[in-house]
Amino acid sequence: MDLADLRIFRMVVREGGITKAAEKLFRVQSNVTTRIRQLEEDLGVRLFIREGRRLQVSPAGLRLVVYADRLLALAEEARTAVLDPRPRGKLRLGAMESTAAARLPGLLAEYHARYPEVEIQLRTGNPQVLAAAMLAGEVDAALAAEPLADAPFEKQAAFREELVIVSAASRGSIEDRSDMPKTMIAFEHGCPHRRRLEEWYARRGFMAEQIVELGSYHAMLGCVAAGMGIALMPKSVLKGFPESGRLQVHELPSDEDSALTVLFWRKGAGSPNVQALRELLAEQGSPIPSKVSAAATA
């Protein structure tokens, strides 16, 4: 049973016979007759009672016409939704924890105000997790720090983050080679900021003796404030931390102090919802045509 058969069946019911239905459908009568018989064979019931040249809708046919109306209306609704350029439905958005905490509240509030018909679903994770989720069809777009593989994705610059190292306020210099911080506090493997902190240690010829893995920046900052170790993160994250007076912020050298966050989506899978987010980011300073090469930073 397909939609074309249902359209023919419904027209025969409405017109009361094959001849008038064929005229309305611009088909020959034999074609309409054949399609009705095929539909009856498919369903295993008679849809019409034939009385000479007249057709009378059978009880089964009367039941089917109700469903035919509903199915055809739903198909038309689906066609309209697919062709509708307006943002609507669900936007499954992924983001790194730091981006979700510091950058998304204002961005998503503005998005919701402009496009109230869009339901936003948010998922957090590191870039590797978000990229895998996108390839699996679980998210529509995501915000993550470079580097990201070029081949499967299209990208647009979103935010330039200033990176800092934070320690307890009581700690002195973190560059003192005789007193390097022994503990680093970070997310799990796959987090680009963890990798940057590991590289920071490596450039100075040291390795952290202990790594404390945590799942949120507020938990990390709490541990840093308590003197448990140091952490590297976007400076924007610090704005929402109530105990910032217990922290000391250490700026990084110019070649280590920034990270680019991009919006990325699967090639060929852009949608009106994603396009609306791209345009909103562009208004905040990121041009839509901007594409960032991961090869240069990998």
Side-chain angles (χ1 to χ4, degrees):
M1 180 173 58
D2 60 28
L3 294 178
D5 289 341
L6 290 178
R7 289 191 183 94
I8 293 171
F9 164 73
R10 187 174 67 174
M11 186 63 71
V12 172
V13 173
R14 287 180 175 179
E15 296 300 321
I18 297 291
T19 302
K20 290 185 178 180
E23 291 175 358
K24 291 283 186 178
L25 294 168
F26 302 101
R27 293 172 179 262
V28 296
Q29 294 182 37
S30 59
N31 176 263
V32 174
T33 300
T34 299
R35 298 297 288 268
I36 292 296
R37 286 177 177 169
Q38 289 175 345
L39 182 58
E40 289 178 325
E41 291 174 3
D42 183 32
L43 294 173
V45 296
R46 294 181 65 183
L47 300 174
F48 296 95
I49 299 171
R50 293 164 177 82
E51 298 176 346
R53 294 191 175 185
R54 296 182 59 186
L55 289 181
Q56 181 179 344
V57 185
S58 71
L62 290 173
R63 289 193 295 271
L64 179 61
V65 76
V66 175
Y67 287 98
D69 286 340
R70 290 163 58 183
L71 288 169
L72 291 171
L74 185 61
E76 186 59 31
E77 180 184 336
R79 180 188 296 275
T80 301
V82 169
L83 298 176
D84 191 347
R86 296 175 302 166
R88 59 191 300 180
K90 292 181 180 178
L91 172 60
R92 301 170 301 168
L93 183 63
M96 290 173 53
E97 179 77 22
S98 58
T99 305
R103 298 291 189 176
L104 289 191
L107 179 70
L108 295 188
E110 178 63 23
Y111 189 99
H112 180 68
R114 294 190 188 188
Y115 312 108
E117 293 185 73
V118 178
E119 175 191 346
I120 300 172
Q121 298 179 346
L122 182 62
R123 172 175 180 171
T124 59
N126 65 48
Q128 294 176 6
V129 169
L130 295 175
M134 188 171 301
L135 293 175
E138 296 170 358
V139 296
D140 303 311
L143 289 154
E146 286 278 60
L148 288 163
D150 274 338
F153 306 122
E154 294 182 79
K155 308 172 190 176
Q156 174 181 326
F159 311 109
R160 176 70 65 176
E161 297 287 3
E162 179 184 357
L163 302 178
V164 295
I165 291 178
V166 288
S167 70
S170 58
R171 183 175 181 86
S173 171
I174 58 172
E175 297 283 356
D176 184 351
R177 298 179 66 84
S178 64
D179 187 28
M180 292 291 291
K182 295 180 173 58
T183 301
M184 58 178 278
I185 301 170
F187 285 110
E188 76 282 3
H189 280 290
C191 172
H193 301 324
R194 170 178 175 151
R195 188 181 75 175
R196 285 173 178 268
L197 186 53
E198 290 171 339
E199 292 171 349
W200 180 86
Y201 273 100
R203 288 191 185 99
R204 288 149 183 81
F206 289 88
M207 290 182 61
E209 296 179 6
Q210 181 181 9
I211 300 175
V212 177
E213 293 186 354
L214 295 173
S216 78
Y217 276 108
H218 270 222
M220 291 167 61
L221 288 169
C223 291
V224 169
M228 292 177 57
I230 64 169
L232 184 149
M233 62 187 63
K235 193 173 184 178
S236 58
V237 173
L238 304 180
K239 295 177 182 177
F241 186 62
E243 299 291 328
S244 57
R246 297 178 179 272
L247 300 173
Q248 182 176 174
V249 177
H250 305 267
E251 295 186 354
L252 292 165
S254 59
D255 59 341
E256 301 177 42
D257 69 348
S258 68
L260 180 64
T261 298
V262 299
L263 176 72
F264 68 101
W265 59 97
R266 193 163 187 173
K267 284 185 177 178
S271 69
N273 294 349
V274 174
Q275 179 64 20
L277 182 58
R278 294 183 62 200
E279 291 172 358
L280 186 55
L281 285 168
E283 289 178 17
Q284 298 182 355
S286 300
I288 289 180
S290 144
K291 297 187 72 174
V292 186
S293 171
T297 55

XYZ file of all heavy atoms in Angstrom, residues 174-231:
458
model
N 53.858 29.999 38.982
C 53.804 28.608 38.516
C 54.955 28.316 37.550
O 55.076 27.212 37.034
C 52.467 28.316 37.815
C 52.244 29.267 36.628
C 51.304 28.392 38.785
C 51.047 28.925 35.776
N 55.798 29.311 37.313
C 56.937 29.140 36.414
C 58.230 28.870 37.174
O 59.281 28.719 36.552
C 57.109 30.391 35.541
C 55.943 30.673 34.606
C 55.938 29.764 33.385
O 56.891 28.975 33.237
O 54.991 29.864 32.580
N 58.165 28.820 38.495
C 59.354 28.554 39.308
C 59.742 27.085 39.139
O 59.041 26.175 39.593
C 59.063 28.867 40.774
C 60.302 28.708 41.653
O 61.331 28.199 41.157
O 60.227 29.095 42.828
N 60.845 26.830 38.474
C 61.243 25.451 38.163
C 61.536 24.626 39.407
O 61.525 23.404 39.367
C 62.463 25.463 37.237
C 62.180 26.123 35.894
C 63.426 26.141 35.021
N 63.847 24.801 34.626
C 63.346 24.148 33.582
N 62.410 24.694 32.835
N 63.787 22.937 33.284
N 61.816 25.307 40.505
C 62.072 24.562 41.751
C 60.774 24.228 42.493
O 60.799 23.501 43.485
C 62.994 25.375 42.672
O 62.354 26.574 43.083
N 59.667 24.777 42.022
C 58.398 24.549 42.721
C 57.249 24.457 41.711
O 56.219 25.120 41.841
C 58.140 25.690 43.719
C 56.924 25.419 44.593
O 56.603 24.236 44.824
O 56.267 26.395 45.012
N 57.431 23.595 40.710
C 56.376 23.428 39.709
C 55.157 22.742 40.329
O 55.313 21.871 41.200
C 56.877 22.581 38.535
C 57.933 23.276 37.697
S 57.281 24.677 36.745
C 56.252 23.837 35.564
N 53.948 23.125 39.933
C 52.745 22.464 40.464
C 52.777 20.971 40.172
O 53.025 20.556 39.038
C 51.604 23.155 39.701
C 52.178 24.449 39.227
C 53.612 24.187 38.967
N 52.531 20.168 41.199
C 52.639 18.712 41.041
C 51.336 18.068 40.558
O 51.354 16.953 40.048
C 53.073 18.080 42.368
C 54.460 18.492 42.819
C 54.824 17.820 44.131
C 56.278 18.096 44.517
N 56.578 19.540 44.635
N 50.231 18.758 40.741
C 48.925 18.173 40.393
C 48.203 19.052 39.394
O 48.096 20.267 39.581
C 48.048 18.009 41.647
O 48.717 17.167 42.581
C 46.698 17.399 41.291
N 47.707 18.447 38.333
C 46.858 19.158 37.379
C 45.436 18.628 37.500
O 45.212 17.436 37.722
C 47.367 19.035 35.940
C 47.505 17.625 35.411
S 48.058 17.586 33.666
C 46.506 17.860 32.814
N 44.484 19.544 37.359
C 43.068 19.204 37.471
C 42.438 19.432 36.107
O 42.563 20.522 35.534
C 42.386 20.062 38.549
C 43.096 19.826 39.891
C 40.905 19.737 38.655
C 42.667 20.788 40.982
N 41.793 18.401 35.562
C 41.335 18.493 34.170
C 40.170 17.545 33.923
O 39.808 16.726 34.776
C 42.491 18.155 33.229
N 39.611 17.662 32.716
C 38.607 16.706 32.260
C 39.299 15.424 31.811
O 40.532 15.316 31.834
C 37.795 17.299 31.107
C 36.793 18.329 31.543
C 36.984 19.664 31.229
C 35.666 17.972 32.260
C 36.062 20.617 31.622
C 34.742 18.918 32.653
C 34.942 20.247 32.345
N 38.486 14.476 31.340
C 39.024 13.199 30.880
C 39.814 13.407 29.583
O 39.783 14.464 28.967
C 37.885 12.192 30.657
C 37.068 12.407 29.374
C 36.051 13.525 29.480
O 36.009 14.190 30.529
O 35.311 13.738 28.502
N 40.500 12.330 29.155
C 41.226 12.365 27.882
C 40.259 12.736 26.761
O 39.108 12.308 26.736
C 41.848 10.997 27.584
C 43.132 10.757 28.327
N 44.294 11.439 28.029
C 43.421 9.917 29.351
C 45.256 11.022 28.850
N 44.752 10.106 29.659
N 40.760 13.543 25.819
C 39.926 14.016 24.723
C 39.592 15.481 24.852
O 39.208 16.122 23.869
N 39.762 16.042 26.062
C 39.514 17.464 26.257
C 40.711 18.247 25.713
O 41.856 18.013 26.122
C 39.315 17.772 27.738
S 39.221 19.547 28.095
N 40.496 19.206 24.807
C 41.628 19.948 24.236
C 42.341 20.814 25.263
O 43.553 21.048 25.135
C 40.975 20.800 23.142
C 39.544 20.909 23.536
C 39.208 19.620 24.222
N 41.644 21.286 26.285
C 42.298 22.119 27.301
C 43.197 21.266 28.199
O 44.243 21.736 28.662
C 41.251 22.863 28.127
C 40.363 23.739 27.295
N 40.835 24.424 26.196
C 39.037 24.042 27.394
C 39.833 25.114 25.645
N 38.750 24.887 26.345
N 42.813 20.029 28.437
C 43.707 19.122 29.172
C 44.990 18.898 28.370
O 46.092 18.931 28.930
C 43.009 17.787 29.420
C 43.953 16.712 29.970
C 43.230 15.430 30.240
N 44.151 14.369 30.646
C 43.836 13.369 31.443
N 42.606 13.273 31.938
N 44.702 12.439 31.751
N 44.832 18.680 27.067
C 46.016 18.459 26.236
C 46.920 19.683 26.248
O 48.155 19.563 26.299
C 45.599 18.133 24.804
C 46.775 17.692 23.933
C 46.344 17.394 22.532
N 46.067 18.615 21.779
C 45.753 18.639 20.492
N 45.642 17.512 19.823
N 45.528 19.789 19.884
N 46.335 20.884 26.239
C 47.143 22.102 26.279
C 47.910 22.226 27.587
O 49.056 22.698 27.608
C 46.253 23.328 26.065
C 45.796 23.519 24.626
C 44.792 24.636 24.509
N 44.382 24.868 23.139
C 44.953 25.726 22.312
N 45.980 26.449 22.719
N 44.526 25.879 21.078
N 47.286 21.818 28.698
C 47.992 21.878 29.975
C 49.117 20.855 30.015
O 50.213 21.128 30.543
C 47.012 21.655 31.133
C 47.590 21.826 32.546
C 48.289 23.173 32.709
C 46.487 21.662 33.590
N 48.881 19.678 29.465
C 49.950 18.676 29.383
C 51.102 19.203 28.527
O 52.281 18.989 28.858
C 49.394 17.381 28.786
C 48.434 16.654 29.718
C 47.723 15.488 29.045
O 47.651 15.479 27.792
O 47.235 14.597 29.757
N 50.779 19.912 27.435
C 51.826 20.508 26.590
C 52.556 21.626 27.326
O 53.764 21.821 27.135
C 51.203 21.038 25.294
C 50.686 19.934 24.371
C 49.889 20.478 23.197
O 49.570 21.698 23.225
O 49.582 19.703 22.271
N 51.825 22.363 28.171
C 52.448 23.425 28.967
C 53.522 22.828 29.874
O 54.638 23.354 29.983
C 51.382 24.142 29.794
C 51.894 25.251 30.662
C 52.102 26.547 30.318
C 52.283 25.140 32.049
N 52.590 27.263 31.392
C 52.713 26.422 32.469
C 52.313 24.089 32.958
C 53.153 26.676 33.759
C 52.748 24.333 34.252
C 53.171 25.626 34.642
N 53.198 21.730 30.535
C 54.186 21.042 31.368
C 55.364 20.562 30.506
O 56.540 20.745 30.878
C 53.555 19.828 32.056
C 52.891 20.124 33.377
C 51.514 20.276 33.465
C 53.627 20.213 34.555
C 50.885 20.525 34.681
C 53.020 20.462 35.778
C 51.655 20.621 35.836
O 51.048 20.866 37.046
N 55.065 19.935 29.362
C 56.117 19.352 28.531
C 57.095 20.411 28.040
O 58.313 20.166 27.987
C 55.482 18.621 27.343
N 56.589 21.606 27.677
C 57.475 22.672 27.203
C 58.446 23.121 28.291
O 59.502 23.676 27.995
C 56.646 23.865 26.729
C 55.912 23.644 25.418
C 55.334 24.949 24.900
N 54.532 24.753 23.712
C 53.205 24.684 23.699
N 52.535 24.819 24.846
N 52.548 24.493 22.581
N 58.077 22.899 29.520
C 58.923 23.316 30.638
C 59.729 22.161 31.209
O 60.401 22.304 32.238
C 58.054 23.980 31.713
C 57.588 25.365 31.250
C 56.244 25.766 31.806
N 55.838 27.074 31.262
C 55.275 27.215 30.049
N 55.054 26.169 29.286
N 54.956 28.425 29.615
N 59.659 21.015 30.538
C 60.468 19.874 30.923
C 59.960 19.150 32.154
O 60.751 18.482 32.841
N 58.670 19.241 32.436
C 58.100 18.577 33.613
C 56.867 17.772 33.217
O 56.289 17.952 32.137
C 57.705 19.603 34.686
C 58.875 20.248 35.373
C 59.451 21.396 34.855
C 59.419 19.697 36.526
C 60.530 21.995 35.477
C 60.506 20.288 37.157
C 61.063 21.435 36.637
N 56.463 16.907 34.132
C 55.202 16.185 34.012
C 54.483 16.276 35.347
O 55.129 16.244 36.407
C 55.416 14.707 33.658
C 55.916 14.462 32.241
S 56.086 12.694 31.897
C 54.395 12.135 32.131
N 53.171 16.416 35.295
C 52.412 16.421 36.547
C 52.521 15.048 37.206
O 52.447 14.023 36.534
C 50.951 16.759 36.266
N 52.716 15.057 38.507
C 52.807 13.784 39.237
C 51.430 13.149 39.421
O 51.317 11.936 39.586
C 53.462 14.011 40.605
C 54.908 14.483 40.510
C 55.529 14.715 41.873
O 54.866 14.395 42.896
O 56.678 15.200 41.930
N 50.401 13.973 39.397
C 49.053 13.457 39.620
C 48.062 14.246 38.761
O 48.208 15.454 38.576
C 48.659 13.580 41.097
C 47.277 13.032 41.417
C 46.922 13.198 42.885
O 47.640 13.865 43.629
N 45.824 12.602 43.304
N 47.081 13.543 38.222
C 46.021 14.185 37.455
C 44.686 13.868 38.112
O 44.335 12.701 38.288
C 46.008 13.711 35.988
C 47.345 14.030 35.305
C 44.852 14.356 35.223
C 47.457 13.485 33.893
N 43.966 14.903 38.492
C 42.635 14.739 39.080
C 41.617 15.015 37.975
O 41.564 16.130 37.442
C 42.418 15.702 40.267
C 40.995 15.559 40.806
C 43.444 15.420 41.367
N 40.835 14.004 37.622
C 39.847 14.157 36.560
C 38.480 14.477 37.166
O 37.993 13.747 38.030
C 39.753 12.886 35.718
C 41.014 12.605 34.912
C 40.839 11.415 33.976
O 39.776 10.747 34.056
O 41.746 11.143 33.178
N 37.877 15.544 36.683
C 36.559 15.966 37.161
C 35.645 16.230 35.972
O 36.108 16.349 34.834
C 36.682 17.210 38.041
C 37.455 17.031 39.356
C 37.658 18.373 40.042
C 36.720 16.074 40.293
N 34.343 16.350 36.251
C 33.375 16.454 35.170
C 32.755 17.812 34.972
O 31.897 17.976 34.105
N 33.162 18.827 35.750
C 32.597 20.164 35.554
C 33.631 21.210 35.951
O 34.499 20.963 36.809
C 31.329 20.353 36.387
O 31.643 20.595 37.744
N 33.515 22.395 35.352
C 34.462 23.455 35.659
C 34.273 23.992 37.071
O 35.240 24.384 37.721
C 34.342 24.588 34.633
C 35.138 24.318 33.388
C 34.519 24.001 32.197
C 36.533 24.352 33.413
C 35.267 23.738 31.054
C 37.283 24.087 32.288
C 36.641 23.784 31.104
O 37.385 23.511 29.983
N 33.062 24.024 37.565
C 32.860 24.513 38.926
C 33.530 23.582 39.936
O 34.120 24.045 40.917
C 31.364 24.667 39.218
C 30.847 26.025 38.855
N 29.976 26.728 39.639
C 31.103 26.824 37.792
C 29.700 27.894 39.082
N 30.383 27.962 37.949
N 33.456 22.278 39.696
C 34.150 21.332 40.570
C 35.660 21.522 40.473
O 36.383 21.504 41.481
C 33.769 19.900 40.212
N 36.152 21.739 39.255
C 37.589 21.963 39.068
C 38.042 23.223 39.787
O 39.071 23.231 40.486
C 37.911 22.050 37.569
C 37.745 20.736 36.830
S 37.763 20.926 35.031
C 39.382 21.615 34.771
N 37.266 24.305 39.654
C 37.647 25.565 40.294
C 37.599 25.451 41.809
O 38.418 26.051 42.512
C 36.729 26.686 39.806
C 36.966 27.143 38.362
C 35.837 28.060 37.895
C 38.310 27.844 38.228
N 36.645 24.684 42.307
C 36.590 24.467 43.745
C 37.832 23.773 44.258
O 38.387 24.147 45.306
N 38.287 22.764 43.522
C 39.502 22.053 43.920
C 40.741 22.936 43.793
O 41.647 22.889 44.638
C 39.672 20.787 43.080
S 38.455 19.509 43.417
N 40.779 23.753 42.742
C 41.904 24.687 42.577
C 41.927 25.676 43.738
O 42.981 25.947 44.338
C 41.799 25.433 41.231
C 42.808 26.583 41.182
C 42.038 24.475 40.077
N 40.782 26.239 44.081
C 40.705 27.211 45.175
C 41.143 26.592 46.501
O 41.697 27.286 47.365
C 39.280 27.750 45.298
N 40.927 25.288 46.644
C 41.320 24.594 47.868
C 42.803 24.255 47.891
O 43.306 23.700 48.876
C 40.492 23.314 48.026
N 43.523 24.567 46.792
C 44.963 24.326 46.755
C 45.358 22.948 46.300
O 46.504 22.532 46.510
N 44.439 22.222 45.633
C 44.745 20.850 45.232
C 45.607 20.771 43.985
O 46.240 19.740 43.729
C 43.442 20.078 45.010
C 42.653 19.827 46.279
S 41.083 18.999 45.963
C 41.626 17.509 45.109
N 45.645 21.834 43.170
C 46.428 21.778 41.943
C 46.081 22.951 41.046
O 45.431 23.909 41.465
N 46.514 22.868 39.778
C 46.248 23.936 38.809
C 45.371 23.387 37.694
O 45.289 22.176 37.481
C 47.547 24.524 38.225
C 48.308 23.456 37.412
C 48.413 25.105 39.325
C 49.458 24.033 36.599
N 44.712 24.300 36.975
C 43.879 23.913 35.840
C 44.024 24.952 34.750
O 44.314 26.124 35.018
C 42.423 23.775 36.272
